[in-house]
mmCIF file of all heavy atoms in Angstrom:
data_model
loop_
_atom_site.group_PDB
_atom_site.id
_atom_site.type_symbol
_atom_site.label_atom_id
_atom_site.label_comp_id
_atom_site.label_asym_id
_atom_site.label_seq_id
_atom_site.Cartn_x
_atom_site.Cartn_y
_atom_site.Cartn_z
ATOM 1 N N TYR J 1 289.962 61.480 36.207
ATOM 2 C CA TYR J 1 289.945 61.303 37.772
ATOM 3 C C TYR J 1 291.103 61.956 38.393
ATOM 4 O O TYR J 1 292.248 61.645 37.930
ATOM 5 C CB TYR J 1 289.866 59.797 37.882
ATOM 6 C CG TYR J 1 289.740 59.287 39.269
ATOM 7 C CD1 TYR J 1 288.509 58.926 39.762
ATOM 8 C CD2 TYR J 1 290.869 59.312 40.064
ATOM 9 C CE1 TYR J 1 288.430 58.594 41.059
ATOM 10 C CE2 TYR J 1 290.790 58.920 41.470
ATOM 11 C CZ TYR J 1 289.562 58.555 41.937
ATOM 12 O OH TYR J 1 289.407 58.125 43.255
ATOM 13 N N SER J 2 290.861 62.872 39.192
ATOM 14 C CA SER J 2 291.807 63.663 39.947
ATOM 15 C C SER J 2 292.791 64.475 38.956
ATOM 16 O O SER J 2 293.962 64.236 38.845
ATOM 17 C CB SER J 2 292.634 62.799 40.751
ATOM 18 O OG SER J 2 293.336 63.468 41.805
ATOM 19 N N ALA J 3 292.204 65.509 38.405
ATOM 20 C CA ALA J 3 292.932 66.402 37.374
ATOM 21 C C ALA J 3 294.240 66.758 37.971
ATOM 22 O O ALA J 3 294.459 67.319 39.000
ATOM 23 C CB ALA J 3 291.941 67.534 37.055
ATOM 24 N N VAL J 4 295.106 66.850 36.948
ATOM 25 C CA VAL J 4 296.554 67.355 37.139
ATOM 26 C C VAL J 4 296.807 68.218 35.911
ATOM 27 O O VAL J 4 296.741 67.785 34.858
ATOM 28 C CB VAL J 4 297.636 66.281 37.299
ATOM 29 C CG1 VAL J 4 298.983 67.003 37.329
ATOM 30 C CG2 VAL J 4 297.258 65.430 38.577
ATOM 31 N N ALA J 5 297.133 69.445 36.104
ATOM 32 C CA ALA J 5 297.553 70.422 34.886
ATOM 33 C C ALA J 5 298.823 69.780 34.401
ATOM 34 O O ALA J 5 299.818 69.638 35.150
ATOM 35 C CB ALA J 5 297.670 71.856 35.400
ATOM 36 N N LEU J 6 298.950 69.631 32.980
ATOM 37 C CA LEU J 6 300.127 69.064 32.379
ATOM 38 C C LEU J 6 300.649 69.935 31.398
ATOM 39 O O LEU J 6 299.915 70.913 30.888
ATOM 40 C CB LEU J 6 299.700 67.784 31.718
ATOM 41 C CG LEU J 6 299.065 66.758 32.596
ATOM 42 C CD1 LEU J 6 298.546 65.545 31.622
ATOM 43 C CD2 LEU J 6 299.951 66.264 33.712
ATOM 44 N N GLU J 7 301.803 69.818 30.941
ATOM 45 C CA GLU J 7 302.350 70.489 29.857
ATOM 46 C C GLU J 7 301.516 70.185 28.573
ATOM 47 O O GLU J 7 300.747 69.160 28.444
ATOM 48 C CB GLU J 7 303.838 69.947 29.496
ATOM 49 C CG GLU J 7 304.903 70.167 30.647
ATOM 50 C CD GLU J 7 305.278 71.574 30.816
ATOM 51 O OE1 GLU J 7 305.027 72.412 29.918
ATOM 52 O OE2 GLU J 7 305.709 71.884 31.910
ATOM 53 N N GLU J 8 301.535 71.028 27.569
ATOM 54 C CA GLU J 8 300.650 70.934 26.460
ATOM 55 C C GLU J 8 300.758 69.669 25.615
ATOM 56 O O GLU J 8 299.694 69.052 25.133
ATOM 57 C CB GLU J 8 300.720 72.218 25.548
ATOM 58 C CG GLU J 8 299.970 73.323 26.030
ATOM 59 C CD GLU J 8 298.579 73.226 26.440
ATOM 60 O OE1 GLU J 8 297.831 72.596 25.483
ATOM 61 O OE2 GLU J 8 298.154 73.547 27.430
ATOM 62 N N GLU J 9 301.860 69.191 25.427
ATOM 63 C CA GLU J 9 302.211 67.919 24.726
ATOM 64 C C GLU J 9 301.447 66.693 25.464
ATOM 65 O O GLU J 9 300.830 65.951 24.913
ATOM 66 C CB GLU J 9 303.680 67.528 24.545
ATOM 67 C CG GLU J 9 304.001 66.251 23.934
ATOM 68 C CD GLU J 9 303.257 65.993 22.557
ATOM 69 O OE1 GLU J 9 303.073 66.974 21.756
ATOM 70 O OE2 GLU J 9 302.890 64.914 22.307
ATOM 71 N N ALA J 10 301.585 66.798 26.817
ATOM 72 C CA ALA J 10 300.910 65.682 27.576
ATOM 73 C C ALA J 10 299.408 65.860 27.514
ATOM 74 O O ALA J 10 298.730 64.856 27.392
ATOM 75 C CB ALA J 10 301.519 65.702 29.009
ATOM 76 N N MET J 11 298.979 67.111 27.550
ATOM 77 C CA MET J 11 297.510 67.323 27.424
ATOM 78 C C MET J 11 296.963 66.915 26.107
ATOM 79 O O MET J 11 295.915 66.279 25.994
ATOM 80 C CB MET J 11 297.100 68.846 27.663
ATOM 81 C CG MET J 11 297.327 69.329 29.058
ATOM 82 S SD MET J 11 296.308 68.456 30.214
ATOM 83 C CE MET J 11 294.650 68.670 29.677
ATOM 84 N N ARG J 12 297.778 66.931 25.052
ATOM 85 C CA ARG J 12 297.332 66.504 23.689
ATOM 86 C C ARG J 12 297.155 65.062 23.737
ATOM 87 O O ARG J 12 296.307 64.489 23.034
ATOM 88 C CB ARG J 12 298.329 66.946 22.572
ATOM 89 C CG ARG J 12 298.127 68.513 22.241
ATOM 90 C CD ARG J 12 298.900 68.782 20.987
ATOM 91 N NE ARG J 12 300.415 68.866 21.170
ATOM 92 C CZ ARG J 12 301.080 69.972 21.670
ATOM 93 N NH1 ARG J 12 300.321 71.043 22.085
ATOM 94 N NH2 ARG J 12 302.231 69.968 21.886
ATOM 95 N N GLN J 13 298.169 64.321 24.349
ATOM 96 C CA GLN J 13 297.966 62.923 24.561
ATOM 97 C C GLN J 13 296.714 62.380 25.460
ATOM 98 O O GLN J 13 296.005 61.474 24.869
ATOM 99 C CB GLN J 13 299.163 62.281 25.335
ATOM 100 C CG GLN J 13 300.437 62.390 24.649
ATOM 101 C CD GLN J 13 301.654 61.868 25.508
ATOM 102 O OE1 GLN J 13 302.229 62.601 26.207
ATOM 103 N NE2 GLN J 13 301.853 60.607 25.479
ATOM 104 N N ILE J 14 296.355 63.210 26.384
ATOM 105 C CA ILE J 14 295.198 62.952 27.040
ATOM 106 C C ILE J 14 293.898 63.273 26.164
ATOM 107 O O ILE J 14 293.067 62.391 26.164
ATOM 108 C CB ILE J 14 295.086 63.974 28.367
ATOM 109 C CG1 ILE J 14 296.224 63.694 29.333
ATOM 110 C CG2 ILE J 14 293.697 63.916 29.018
ATOM 111 C CD1 ILE J 14 296.183 62.314 30.050
ATOM 112 N N GLU J 15 293.892 64.363 25.557
ATOM 113 C CA GLU J 15 292.868 64.695 24.659
ATOM 114 C C GLU J 15 292.712 63.666 23.534
ATOM 115 O O GLU J 15 291.496 63.455 22.927
ATOM 116 C CB GLU J 15 292.961 66.176 24.111
ATOM 117 C CG GLU J 15 292.841 67.113 25.243
ATOM 118 C CD GLU J 15 293.341 68.483 24.859
ATOM 119 O OE1 GLU J 15 294.089 68.743 23.877
ATOM 120 O OE2 GLU J 15 293.078 69.418 25.754
ATOM 121 N N ALA J 16 293.744 63.015 23.007
ATOM 122 C CA ALA J 16 293.812 62.186 21.936
ATOM 123 C C ALA J 16 292.877 60.892 22.322
ATOM 124 O O ALA J 16 292.397 60.276 21.396
ATOM 125 C CB ALA J 16 295.153 61.770 21.461
ATOM 126 N N LEU J 17 292.862 60.568 23.646
ATOM 127 C CA LEU J 17 292.034 59.494 24.017
ATOM 128 C C LEU J 17 290.614 59.700 23.798
ATOM 129 O O LEU J 17 289.828 58.720 23.696
ATOM 130 C CB LEU J 17 292.383 59.180 25.503
ATOM 131 C CG LEU J 17 291.887 57.907 26.125
ATOM 132 C CD1 LEU J 17 292.519 56.694 25.444
ATOM 133 C CD2 LEU J 17 292.032 57.895 27.694
ATOM 134 N N GLY J 18 290.216 60.862 23.851
ATOM 135 C CA GLY J 18 288.681 61.135 23.551
ATOM 136 C C GLY J 18 288.384 62.524 24.319
ATOM 137 O O GLY J 18 289.160 63.031 25.274
ATOM 138 N N PRO J 19 287.326 63.117 23.857
ATOM 139 C CA PRO J 19 286.960 64.507 24.575
ATOM 140 C C PRO J 19 286.545 64.240 26.027
ATOM 141 O O PRO J 19 285.799 63.398 26.369
ATOM 142 C CB PRO J 19 285.774 64.928 23.625
ATOM 143 C CG PRO J 19 285.176 63.751 22.993
ATOM 144 C CD PRO J 19 286.368 62.686 22.941
ATOM 145 N N PRO J 20 287.201 65.055 26.826
ATOM 146 C CA PRO J 20 286.726 64.991 28.244
ATOM 147 C C PRO J 20 285.131 65.297 28.514
ATOM 148 O O PRO J 20 284.721 66.341 28.055
ATOM 149 C CB PRO J 20 287.709 66.058 28.867
ATOM 150 C CG PRO J 20 288.690 66.318 27.999
ATOM 151 C CD PRO J 20 288.141 66.165 26.702
ATOM 152 N N ARG J 21 284.567 64.409 29.147
ATOM 153 C CA ARG J 21 283.112 64.583 29.422
ATOM 154 C C ARG J 21 282.852 64.819 30.941
ATOM 155 O O ARG J 21 281.920 65.490 31.377
ATOM 156 C CB ARG J 21 282.383 63.415 28.859
ATOM 157 C CG ARG J 21 280.855 63.478 29.021
ATOM 158 C CD ARG J 21 280.183 62.361 28.286
ATOM 159 N NE ARG J 21 278.842 62.352 28.457
ATOM 160 C CZ ARG J 21 278.032 61.193 28.349
ATOM 161 N NH1 ARG J 21 278.603 60.175 27.869
ATOM 162 N NH2 ARG J 21 276.797 61.137 28.638
ATOM 163 N N TYR J 22 283.606 64.063 31.726
ATOM 164 C CA TYR J 22 283.386 64.030 33.219
ATOM 165 C C TYR J 22 284.758 64.354 33.949
ATOM 166 O O TYR J 22 285.868 63.776 33.366
ATOM 167 C CB TYR J 22 283.037 62.761 33.647
ATOM 168 C CG TYR J 22 281.464 62.336 33.268
ATOM 169 C CD1 TYR J 22 281.467 61.420 32.187
ATOM 170 C CD2 TYR J 22 280.391 62.977 33.751
ATOM 171 C CE1 TYR J 22 280.096 61.088 31.713
ATOM 172 C CE2 TYR J 22 279.162 62.490 33.402
ATOM 173 C CZ TYR J 22 279.064 61.464 32.252
ATOM 174 O OH TYR J 22 277.752 61.176 31.850
ATOM 175 N N LEU J 23 284.772 65.049 34.946
ATOM 176 C CA LEU J 23 285.878 65.422 35.791
ATOM 177 C C LEU J 23 285.542 64.796 37.197
ATOM 178 O O LEU J 23 284.574 65.489 37.733
ATOM 179 C CB LEU J 23 286.250 66.698 35.792
ATOM 180 C CG LEU J 23 287.272 67.271 36.938
ATOM 181 C CD1 LEU J 23 288.619 66.465 36.653
ATOM 182 C CD2 LEU J 23 287.551 68.806 36.797
ATOM 183 N N VAL J 24 286.101 63.846 37.603
ATOM 184 C CA VAL J 24 285.963 63.338 39.104
ATOM 185 C C VAL J 24 286.899 63.970 39.907
ATOM 186 O O VAL J 24 288.111 63.933 39.766
ATOM 187 C CB VAL J 24 286.064 61.838 39.122
ATOM 188 C CG1 VAL J 24 286.037 61.336 40.554
ATOM 189 C CG2 VAL J 24 284.977 61.119 38.109
ATOM 190 N N VAL J 25 286.501 64.699 40.867
ATOM 191 C CA VAL J 25 287.220 65.300 41.957
ATOM 192 C C VAL J 25 287.021 64.155 43.174
ATOM 193 O O VAL J 25 285.891 64.252 43.724
ATOM 194 C CB VAL J 25 286.777 66.658 42.438
ATOM 195 C CG1 VAL J 25 287.589 67.146 43.515
ATOM 196 C CG2 VAL J 25 286.754 67.651 41.248
ATOM 197 N N PRO J 26 287.938 63.223 43.245
ATOM 198 C CA PRO J 26 287.612 62.079 44.044
ATOM 199 C C PRO J 26 287.330 62.400 45.588
ATOM 200 O O PRO J 26 286.839 61.554 46.377
ATOM 201 C CB PRO J 26 288.719 61.225 43.918
ATOM 202 C CG PRO J 26 289.865 62.134 43.524
ATOM 203 C CD PRO J 26 289.169 63.261 42.753
ATOM 204 N N GLY J 27 287.794 63.450 46.073
ATOM 205 C CA GLY J 27 287.716 63.732 47.506
ATOM 206 C C GLY J 27 288.037 65.170 47.788
ATOM 207 O O GLY J 27 288.501 65.794 46.982
ATOM 208 N N ASP J 28 287.932 65.528 49.155
ATOM 209 C CA ASP J 28 288.090 67.051 49.583
ATOM 210 C C ASP J 28 289.352 67.616 49.077
ATOM 211 O O ASP J 28 289.360 68.755 48.775
ATOM 212 C CB ASP J 28 288.068 67.054 51.065
ATOM 213 C CG ASP J 28 286.813 66.483 51.717
ATOM 214 O OD1 ASP J 28 286.660 65.192 51.666
ATOM 215 O OD2 ASP J 28 285.795 67.209 51.836
ATOM 216 N N ALA J 29 290.483 66.828 49.260
ATOM 217 C CA ALA J 29 291.826 67.334 48.918
ATOM 218 C C ALA J 29 292.308 67.326 47.451
ATOM 219 O O ALA J 29 293.340 67.685 47.209
ATOM 220 C CB ALA J 29 292.789 66.602 49.757
ATOM 221 N N HIS J 30 291.352 67.047 46.548
ATOM 222 C CA HIS J 30 291.933 66.862 45.176
ATOM 223 C C HIS J 30 291.281 67.898 44.292
ATOM 224 O O HIS J 30 290.919 67.672 43.070
ATOM 225 C CB HIS J 30 291.611 65.518 44.645
ATOM 226 C CG HIS J 30 292.138 64.435 45.441
ATOM 227 N ND1 HIS J 30 293.525 63.862 45.027
ATOM 228 C CD2 HIS J 30 291.956 63.872 46.556
ATOM 229 C CE1 HIS J 30 293.814 63.037 45.898
ATOM 230 N NE2 HIS J 30 292.981 62.969 46.925
ATOM 231 N N ARG J 31 291.237 69.114 44.848
ATOM 232 C CA ARG J 31 290.543 70.244 44.180
ATOM 233 C C ARG J 31 291.495 71.176 43.369
ATOM 234 O O ARG J 31 291.124 72.085 42.690
ATOM 235 C CB ARG J 31 289.791 71.199 45.119
ATOM 236 C CG ARG J 31 288.828 70.360 45.921
ATOM 237 C CD ARG J 31 288.226 71.079 47.068
ATOM 238 N NE ARG J 31 289.347 71.303 48.189
ATOM 239 C CZ ARG J 31 289.350 72.442 48.910
ATOM 240 N NH1 ARG J 31 288.472 73.333 49.051
ATOM 241 N NH2 ARG J 31 290.275 72.607 49.704
#
């Protein structure tokens, strides 16, 4: 929900939760 590009170590933590299936862009300004 509301993607933020992270450093690779932080991305590994995100990916360890599970494979990303959905990306929610919650509103106009969150692209």
Side-chain angles (χ1 to χ4, degrees):
Y1 183 96
S2 197
V4 174
L6 305 174
E7 299 288 344
E8 281 306 311
E9 175 57 32
M11 288 304 298
R12 284 192 287 278
Q13 289 176 270
I14 296 296
E15 291 163 349
L17 190 62
R21 184 169 168 204
Y22 297 98
L23 171 61
V24 175
V25 182
D28 306 81
H30 297 269
R31 306 167 294 155

